[in-house]
Amino acid sequence: MLIVTGTPRSGTSMWMQILVAAGFEAIGEAFPGDWRALLASANPDGFWESQLLGGIYYRTNPHPLTGAFLFPDQTNFHAVKIMVPGLVRSDLAYVDRVIGTVREWRQFAVSRTRLRELHREQAGLESHEAILRHELPPALEWWVDNFGLLRDIATRRYAAHVCSYQSLLEDPDKAIAEVLSWLGRGDQARAVEVVRPERQTVQACPPTPADPQVDAEDIEVFDELYDHIHRGRALGAAFLATLNDTDARLRPRLLAHEARARVAAAQEMLAEIDRPKLS
């Protein structure tokens, strides 16, 4: 499969739209279910998501409802969006090519927060449900997903093309030409028409959040990692060591945050049970 991956709000939907316009068959729908009514304001051109968003493995293939099975040799050039955690758990037989898209982490934090608020408003989530659904602060989520993507590429050594979302918006012709040339097929002219920079919801690089849940040393690494990806710079041995050290430093914070989130959610649920009921 031709897998599009990244964090949420990093351009994965746009890359799916590009591939569909270029002539690739997609797995998924622009607006699954009632998403058009609920989330069209967050992405007017569609999300192109499916049951494979969380990975293609024994729980999703065969399809849990229809029983339809996707064969590796029949889906080599089918485009599908799979988030990073799903890619990591996907069977390697289906990972033919991967397009990874990375957004600057401050922009991601603003956009991710906006989408979470929209989810909460539209879905009517209780506070404990929101806590369980969004465990990580955006800055930490950005790190976990992007470091996880790089580690998975290095570990399983599949063909991957990783680029920044901003580079696509700045020069769509160049970014799309590189990918379609790498894939060896696709209608570039039609694909370029899909890119509409004016649709971007976060136009400029926002300031660092007052409490990003990461310290100055982490922020420096985040910025350097993004700069490498945005400029297409190779990750040298010294910088790879820095990335590994940063992940080791952040890991206890991630585990502690998850534990606190689960305790807070449990407390909210217990408080809900104890509230007086109408008789």
Side-chain angles (χ1 to χ4, degrees):
M1 290 183 179
L2 174 52
I3 295 172
V4 173
T5 195
T7 64
R9 312 304 294 162
S10 66
T12 53
S13 297
M14 182 173 287
W15 271 110
M16 285 296 296
Q17 294 159 18
I18 288 168
L19 294 173
V20 170
F24 293 88
E25 187 171 349
I27 297 174
E29 301 175 67
F31 292 99
D34 57 358
W35 282 31
R36 185 182 295 276
L38 295 175
L39 299 172
S41 62
N43 195 342
D45 296 313
F47 293 85
W48 288 102
E49 296 187 2
S50 71
Q51 84 280 1
L52 301 180
L53 191 69
I56 179 163
Y57 64 121
Y58 70 93
R59 286 189 174 178
T60 60
N61 190 42
H63 191 288
L65 297 179
T66 67
F69 186 79
L70 298 171
F71 292 89
D73 59 344
Q74 297 175 0
T75 55
N76 297 103
F77 282 96
H78 282 63
V80 61
K81 184 201 289 191
I82 300 179
M83 294 292 98
V84 173
L87 171 61
V88 171
R89 71 170 64 95
S90 290
D91 293 337
L92 189 58
Y94 292 92
V95 186
D96 294 297
R97 300 285 180 100
V98 172
I99 299 172
T101 175
V102 179
R103 193 171 192 174
E104 196 278 332
W105 73 271
R106 296 171 185 83
Q107 286 194 346
F108 165 77
V110 172
S111 186
R112 185 66 164 132
T113 299
R114 175 175 173 267
L115 183 62
R116 288 175 177 178
E117 291 171 350
L118 186 61
H119 268 298
R120 192 174 296 116
E121 292 170 3
Q122 298 291 351
L125 295 179
E126 298 291 341
S127 55
H128 65 272
E129 293 175 316
I131 292 171
L132 283 172
R133 189 165 180 168
H134 308 302
E135 294 179 356
L136 287 178
L140 291 178
E141 182 181 5
W142 184 93
W143 171 260
V144 169
D145 278 1
N146 287 305
F147 181 79
L149 172 60
L150 296 177
R151 180 173 54 194
D152 196 52
I153 293 171
T155 301
R156 299 203 285 172
R157 303 181 184 181
Y158 45 74
H161 179 95
V162 181
C163 59
S164 73
Y165 179 49
Q166 191 62 35
S167 66
L168 172 63
L169 297 179
E170 289 175 352
D171 194 344
D173 287 278
K174 180 176 182 291
I176 292 172
E178 288 178 352
V179 168
L180 296 185
S181 175
W182 177 59
L183 296 176
R185 63 179 69 184
D187 187 330
Q188 181 179 341
R190 292 189 61 188
V192 170
E193 292 176 358
V194 168
V195 182
R196 302 176 186 176
E198 70 276 7
R199 288 277 179 88
Q200 186 179 191
T201 55
V202 183
Q203 296 295 335
C205 186
T208 300
D211 182 20
Q213 299 291 315
V214 290
D215 57 31
E217 185 178 4
D218 303 323
I219 290 172
E220 183 177 351
V221 175
F222 288 12
D223 288 340
E224 188 173 356
L225 174 57
Y226 178 75
D227 186 70
H228 273 75
I229 293 170
H230 181 60
R231 298 178 186 276
R233 297 163 55 197
L235 303 180
F239 187 54
L240 288 173
T242 298
L243 295 178
N244 286 324
D245 291 344
T246 301
D247 189 66
R249 189 171 62 250
L250 288 174
R251 191 60 49 182
R253 264 180 269 174
L254 295 168
L255 295 174
H257 183 88
E258 180 177 354
R260 289 194 300 270
R262 292 186 179 279
V263 169
Q267 291 173 338
E268 286 283 350
M269 293 171 70
L270 290 173
E272 180 68 24
I273 292 173
D274 291 339
R275 288 192 181 99
K277 303 294 190 298
L278 293 175
S279 57

